[in-house]
Amino acid sequence: SAVISQKPSRDICQRGTSLTIQCQVDSQVTMMFWYRQQPGQSLTLIATANQGSEATYESGFVIDKFPISRPNLTFSTLTVSNMSPEDSSIYLCSVEGGGIPDTQYFGPGTRLTVL
Amino acid sequence: SQKIEQNSEALNIQEGKTATLTCNYTNYSPAYLQWYRQDPGRGPVFLLLIRENEKEKRKERLKVTFDTTLKQSLFHITASQPADSATYLCALGGATNKLIFGTGTLLAVQP
């Protein structure tokens, strides 16, 4: 299974600023996913990031608010722009792959608090 | 719209008993269903996958069933242990590789 790390693990930010979250995988993967998990809620998919193409965003999420980069097969970033307290959440990246098709492996998450 | 429901309340059981968690869904025909475990402050960890043409899947003390007629999956942990205490998430998937997650059930196994 893939080993995924995320930076930062947590942050406290001021309203109106932006934060970039990094996701690093120990092997090359085609598909990477970014999720949001609001307090007490389940995971909601923000976007799918494939290397060499624009990210595909889910309904309710837009590129201006959550720009994503995918410069190579082991790395991706998610930026949360112009933050408001409603953006306080855990942000998780995941990758598909490993021994069982269609399964996903998740990073530890980034806990974001916006004041 | 697609909807996935899991036991909203925490499930408390005694060590050694079998825990049974439920996942019901509507307005969706998934090609497969997955169960994940999530501990506080950590990302979900994959446990089991069952496909639409399978009725049951087992892995050690875990068993999952999938009834596409009832639109329901049951997740069983036999001989439960306090270390099994966590939130368990079901997730549905199809041809697009995207997963739709349920809200999760918090399982507490009392020693």
Side-chain angles (χ1 to χ4, degrees), chain B residues 1 6-7 18 52 63 73 94:
Chain B
S1 62
Q6 297 186 245
N7 313 63
T18 296
E52 60 180 336
K63 184 179 85 171
S73 174

Side-chain angles (χ1 to χ4, degrees), chain A residues 31 33 35 37 40-43 45 48 58 92 96 100-109 111, chain B residues 32 34 36 38 40-46 49 51 89 94 96-104:
Chain A
M31 299 183 75
F33 306 87
Y35 290 84
Q37 187 172 28
Q41 304 292 316
S42 191
L43 284 75
L45 182 64
T48 303
E58 297 301 303
L92 297 132
E96 192 179 65
I100 303 176
D102 302 319
T103 58
Q104 292 186 19
Y105 296 91
F106 284 82
R111 182 179 293 272
Chain B
Y32 52 85
Q34 303 182 26
Y36 287 78
Q38 187 173 26
R42 295 181 176 271
V45 174
F46 169 75
L49 177 150
R51 299 195 182 274
L89 305 166
T96 62
N97 304 104
K98 294 188 289 189
L99 292 178
I100 303 171
F101 281 84
T103 51

Side-chain angles (χ1 to χ4, degrees), chain A residues 55-75:
Chain A
T56 303
Y57 289 83
E58 297 301 303
S59 175
F61 298 96
V62 295
I63 187 171
D64 289 345
K65 175 67 176 177
F66 297 101
I68 289 171
S69 78
R70 182 80 203 273
N72 57 52
L73 290 173
T74 62
F75 187 78

